[in-house]
Amino acid sequence: MQPIFAIALFAALVAIASSAPQGGNTPVPILSSEFDQKEDGSYSFSYETGDGIKRSEAGAQKKIGEETGSTSNGSISWKTPEGKTVTITFVADERGFQPKVTVS
């Protein structure tokens, strides 16, 4: 076998093996999902997954002086492997992104 052919064959086998599905990649079901978009640019969405992730957000356009910008607020929460709930709530507006994290 030619050395270059052997190297190419080895590289191809490594690529095939690494692209194969790995254990633990079970799909997570979406338990609920909602989305609403208004003509004025405001929106809201939420979803919950089977592994305990919950996410929601709402946003709108806001006029500040002569400028128009986007504002939003929302939250995301999930359970840690130790069973604690991590929740991040946030506001994003003319004062910037303002997150708050709680663990309970």
Side-chain angles (χ1 to χ4, degrees):
M1 185 179 293
Q2 298 287 343
I4 192 76
F5 178 75
I7 292 171
L9 179 61
F10 177 74
L13 291 174
V14 168
I16 291 169
S18 65
S19 66
Q22 304 296 312
N25 289 334
T26 305
V28 176
I30 304 297
L31 303 178
S32 66
S33 177
E34 296 181 21
F35 179 81
D36 186 31
Q37 176 81 48
K38 305 275 192 228
E39 287 185 26
D40 64 1
S42 63
Y43 68 93
S44 64
F45 71 84
S46 65
Y47 62 84
E48 182 176 358
T49 63
D51 60 358
I53 296 173
K54 295 179 183 177
R55 172 85 165 90
S56 64
E57 181 174 324
Q61 298 297 303
K62 182 178 180 181
K63 191 157 180 88
I64 304 166
E66 298 297 314
E67 301 287 322
T68 300
S70 297
T71 64
S72 63
N73 63 75
S75 67
I76 184 168
S77 65
W78 67 91
K79 292 248 187 231
T80 68
E82 297 79 24
K84 295 186 181 260
T85 300
V86 177
T87 302
I88 301 173
T89 57
F90 69 90
V91 173
D93 59 15
E94 65 272 14
R95 294 181 301 262
F97 181 69
Q98 306 153 58
K100 179 182 176 191
V101 179
T102 58
V103 179
S104 56

